[in-house]
Amino acid sequence: MKLPSRVLLLSSITARHISRRQSSTSSSSSPSTTSQSAFVNEVVAILNTISPIESALEPLVPFLSPDIISSIIKETQNPQLGFRFYIWATNRKRLLSWVSRNLVVDMLLEPNGFDLYWTTLEELKEAGVPVTSSAFDVLISGYAKAGACEKVLESFGKMKEFDCVPDVSVYNTILHAVLRKQVFLLALALYNQMLKFNCMPTRHTFNILIGGLCKSGKIQDALKMFDEMMLRGILPNRFTYTIVISGLCLAKRADDAHRLFIKMKNSGCSPDFVAYNALLNGFCKLGRVDEAFALLSSFEKEDDFKLQLRGYSSLIDGLFRAKRYDEAYAWYRKMFEVNIEPDVVLYTVMIRGLSDAGKVKDALKLMDVMNERGVAPDTYCYNAVIKGFCDAGLLNQAQSLQLEILKRDSFPNTCTHTILICGMCSNGLVVEAQQIFNDMEKVGCLPSVVTFNALIDGLCKAGELEKANLLFYKMEIGRNPSLFLRLSQGANRVLDSASLQTMVEQYCESGFVLKAYKILMQLADSGNVPDLITYNILINGFCRAGNINGALKLFKELQVKGLSPDSVTYGTLITGLLRIGREEDAFKIFNQMAENGCTPSQSVYKTLMTWSCRRSKVTLAFTLWLKYLRDISGREDEAIKVIEEHFEKGDFEKAVRGLLEMDFKLNDFNLGPYTIWLIGLCQAGLVVEGLKIFSILNECGVIVTPPSCVKLIHALCKRGKLNEAMDVFLYTLKNGFKLMPRVCNYLLRSLLLSKDGKHHAYDLLSRMESLGYDLDSHLFGSTKALLSDPWNRMAMENASPG
């Protein structure tokens, strides 16, 4: 009986390969490249001549390896046969490798690649050949590489048609694609779906989720995910730690980042350059440059760290932000000394630093240097100089630079227009700012949340509250109002982020992942959802306009939409309520802050203290500050309790000295509260206590502010304490303060009208003139009338300057 030719071919190949393998085993050497190549060619021949290939390939499984699989895919001329062979190979995990996977992904990206792969999958389904999760993983990876997120999710949704259950690798690929599009609600819903289907996340899963959340600024969610990872017994690796350290630095939590950095090292995980640079950059961005340099020194000493380009960029940027221009330049020069060439990022740092310092011409010169060195300035470089011109009020030059960007085959981006809008609004040119805003879409730029916020703020400050409100609603409705209308109707109404998250999870559980994605993307594309800054700007506008009810309405609305008010929101409302005399409501809002988990900022406390002092409630102002001190770290409650006891006993001097001692001990002195109390005591008629604060501050070497001196001089004169008033005035002269005419004339008239004060008045006039006061313009007519014509120059000259 004659055997079919394909069976003979297969038997021949199998026999030859067994023979080769036995031969190589007996000689204790690996098969030669020639024999492997011959085997690959023979398998390719099977693919081209036998159909279906699956049953024909089974006898060859013992002789196949990941390298051979990759070689066969490379040699296969027909892409569809290559796809079918790879899908067959996915049934055996040991045969798979990243090389073969990447080869197939590249084939998918060729013309008609995806269509051929789908055709292959359909043929296998009809033939009853099982399709593994790995077969879909490579398809989904191909769509992800092509940036086709919809196709990624569509493919994921079709897996169940092939009786294919997604494994962790598929979920990881999808999570990565979804997070690149910043669709966080869907990513979290997919993660929950994984857990529900008992598909256990790996370290790679958590790295993807944590990285996506960190990059979007959702650091709290990222930290929760980090904790969950640890609870599941999955230890973070270098990549995980670096992601979180970078995220904490971006969130301005450099101290937390440093603690995690130390924990990383203690766990035996060595930091890489990204982690070192992220930490240096985090401290520099917060203005804590000296601490950054101290860290650098420890890195160099303990870890043999070598500063590279990114590190130089961070330090130079930090020095510029701290206005330490000479040091920034010194480090810039030092970089060249160690043969590190600046790139466009570092040049942008330099240009921004010079522009912020008002040295716009120097910034322009540096752009010329860039060109000479073959580094082309990008839009970000131009934006830095444009901002410098805007800050200097040189708006025409700023707009001419915008045109220059176009000449260089670049395009002004959204940031460029936002800078110009801010510049126009700052200079009162709100109409021109609106025109720039309206022209943005014509040049292909869509306004961002920051752009809307800039114009809304400009309109509010210009008193155009109605226009600001209309722009807010335009921003909220966006370009797809029907979607908002649809989502806000019906049984499952979407009113805030919580209800939206519920809807997304329901869609995912029902298998409608693509539908959930499309809705979320429509929402993202429908406009710029107002953020907390937008609401804060508008609330401030309403408060300044005296429309406190409108502000309170917005305050409720932002919470309904899932936003949490911050200290700025509460502080703005408190100021607005106090401005119209609703003190009780202001304190209710203040108490709500703590209840809602929002710690009042120092400025909120100072606002309430200032108001209390104006109402002669100095005791309340003092109590409020002690409450603030209890809320911040580093303060000993026992020390605060002692200070409080002194105050309750009426020993104001001991209470103030105790506070100062604590401030100096912690190196955290703040003149603000002392100024508020001093002025408040004067307003309350407690001028002796006010003078005590002045004396204590002076004794401690603290410079008392001119407004405090003015209030004190006025209060002392009013109570006839002219010697003390004159001492305070002499203090202002000694410190180079020039007081306004009103208080000067009030003191001089009080002295001239007193029994023994005329000589002192001439003494003060002499000192004032010697320190640059223009007495002709500074003295009122009523004061001059009390002086001998022409103010008795002889008396002034004879007055003792000592």
Side-chain angles (χ1 to χ4, degrees), residues 540 543 548 570-580 586 603 607:
N540 187 45
C543 286
I548 196 68
Y570 285 110
T572 305
L573 274 175
I574 287 167
T575 303
L577 288 163
L578 291 175
R579 194 177 283 135
I580 59 169
S603 62
T607 297

Side-chain angles (χ1 to χ4, degrees), residues 579-611:
R579 194 177 283 135
I580 59 169
R582 289 171 60 174
E583 184 180 341
E584 191 176 335
D585 290 331
F587 274 94
K588 278 182 185 175
I589 294 284
F590 173 72
N591 292 329
Q592 273 182 34
M593 289 182 74
E595 291 168 13
N596 295 336
C598 180
T599 304
S601 65
Q602 191 180 106
S603 62
V604 170
Y605 277 101
K606 285 181 181 178
T607 297
L608 288 168
M609 287 165 66
T610 302
W611 175 265

Side-chain angles (χ1 to χ4, degrees), residues 534-552:
T534 321
Y535 278 100
N536 285 346
I537 289 167
L538 265 179
I539 287 169
N540 187 45
F542 275 105
C543 286
R544 286 183 175 276
N547 187 350
I548 196 68
N549 290 330
L552 289 168

Side-chain angles (χ1 to χ4, degrees), residues 323-368:
K323 304 189 188 303
R324 291 158 63 171
Y325 307 116
D326 291 340
E327 290 176 73
Y329 259 111
W331 277 85
Y332 176 65
R333 289 191 295 271
K334 183 179 178 181
M335 191 181 65
F336 286 101
E337 290 169 10
V338 292
N339 297 318
I340 295 176
E341 286 290 324
D343 62 356
V344 70
V345 174
L346 181 54
Y347 275 120
T348 303
V349 166
M350 293 292 297
I351 287 165
R352 186 173 58 234
L354 290 166
S355 299
D356 289 346
K359 300 179 179 182
V360 189
K361 288 182 180 178
D362 291 337
L364 287 169
K365 284 179 186 175
L366 193 57
M367 287 180 78
D368 293 334

Side-chain angles (χ1 to χ4, degrees), residues 113-180:
F114 289 108
D115 292 337
L116 287 173
Y117 199 93
W118 276 114
T119 302
T120 307
L121 286 173
E122 291 295 338
E123 286 176 357
L124 292 170
K125 185 169 73 169
E126 287 176 20
V129 177
V131 176
T132 65
S133 183
S134 297
F136 269 94
D137 183 32
V138 75
L139 174 65
I140 289 166
S141 297
Y143 279 128
K145 193 171 181 179
C149 195
E150 279 195 27
K151 289 291 183 182
V152 166
L153 295 166
E154 186 181 332
S155 305
F156 177 69
K158 285 186 176 181
M159 287 181 73
K160 59 184 174 184
E161 295 176 19
F162 293 80
D163 295 323
C164 184
V165 178
D167 63 8
V168 68
S169 182
V170 169
Y171 274 111
N172 287 348
T173 305
I174 291 169
L175 286 171
H176 186 68
V178 166
L179 284 167
R180 279 178 67 184

Side-chain angles (χ1 to χ4, degrees), residues 261-273:
F261 180 85
I262 293 166
K263 184 178 178 182
M264 175 186 183
K265 289 174 71 175
N266 291 339
S267 70
C269 195
S270 300
D272 58 8
F273 276 93

Side-chain angles (χ1 to χ4, degrees), residues 704-749:
V704 182
T705 64
S708 301
C709 294
V710 168
K711 282 288 182 185
L712 196 50
I713 290 166
H714 194 274
L716 288 165
C717 287
K718 197 172 181 181
R719 279 152 189 79
K721 297 183 177 293
L722 299 182
N723 287 334
E724 290 86 347
M726 194 168 65
D727 287 341
V728 176
F729 190 80
L730 289 171
Y731 172 86
T732 68
L733 294 175
K734 179 186 173 184
N735 286 286
F737 301 153
K738 273 195 177 182
L739 303 186
M740 297 299 286
R742 186 179 172 189
V743 69
C744 295
N745 282 273
Y746 186 63
L747 174 58
L748 287 166
R749 283 200 306 272

Side-chain angles (χ1 to χ4, degrees), residues 166-370:
D167 63 8
V168 68
S169 182
V170 169
Y171 274 111
N172 287 348
T173 305
I174 291 169
L175 286 171
H176 186 68
V178 166
L179 284 167
R180 279 178 67 184
K181 290 284 185 180
Q182 297 198 332
V183 193
F184 306 106
L185 284 179
L186 184 56
L188 292 172
L190 286 166
Y191 171 71
N192 289 331
Q193 186 176 320
M194 277 181 75
L195 300 179
K196 187 178 178 182
F197 293 151
N198 293 318
C199 180
M200 289 301 103
T202 62
R203 183 189 288 124
H204 187 47
T205 313
F206 284 108
N207 284 348
I208 291 166
L209 286 164
I210 292 167
L213 292 165
C214 282
K215 284 173 187 173
S216 67
K218 298 178 180 292
I219 190 64
Q220 279 305 117
D221 292 326
L223 290 171
K224 285 178 186 174
M225 199 61 70
F226 183 80
D227 290 339
E228 186 168 337
M229 175 184 179
M230 300 284 277
L231 286 170
R232 289 182 175 275
I234 301 171
L235 295 177
N237 61 6
R238 177 190 292 173
F239 188 69
T240 322
Y241 277 116
T242 303
I243 291 168
V244 182
I245 287 166
S246 299
L248 286 165
C249 289
L250 282 172
K252 299 181 179 179
R253 292 172 59 176
D255 290 316
D256 291 333
H258 189 213
R259 278 190 283 273
L260 188 62
F261 180 85
I262 293 166
K263 184 178 178 182
M264 175 186 183
K265 289 174 71 175
N266 291 339
S267 70
C269 195
S270 300
D272 58 8
F273 276 93
V274 180
Y276 284 112
N277 289 333
L279 204 53
L280 291 174
N281 192 49
F283 277 93
C284 287
K285 283 282 192 291
L286 288 174
R288 296 163 65 178
V289 190
D290 290 327
E291 290 175 74
F293 278 110
L295 278 174
L296 174 61
S297 179
S298 69
F299 295 162
E300 290 173 334
K301 191 182 296 181
E302 297 168 15
D303 306 332
D304 198 28
F305 173 75
K306 303 293 181 189
L307 196 65
Q308 298 297 322
L309 182 59
R310 287 281 77 81
Y312 275 102
S313 299
S314 298
L315 292 171
I316 291 168
D317 182 44
L319 289 166
F320 269 121
R321 288 172 186 269
K323 304 189 188 303
R324 291 158 63 171
Y325 307 116
D326 291 340
E327 290 176 73
Y329 259 111
W331 277 85
Y332 176 65
R333 289 191 295 271
K334 183 179 178 181
M335 191 181 65
F336 286 101
E337 290 169 10
V338 292
N339 297 318
I340 295 176
E341 286 290 324
D343 62 356
V344 70
V345 174
L346 181 54
Y347 275 120
T348 303
V349 166
M350 293 292 297
I351 287 165
R352 186 173 58 234
L354 290 166
S355 299
D356 289 346
K359 300 179 179 182
V360 189
K361 288 182 180 178
D362 291 337
L364 287 169
K365 284 179 186 175
L366 193 57
M367 287 180 78
D368 293 334
V369 171
M370 282 181 73

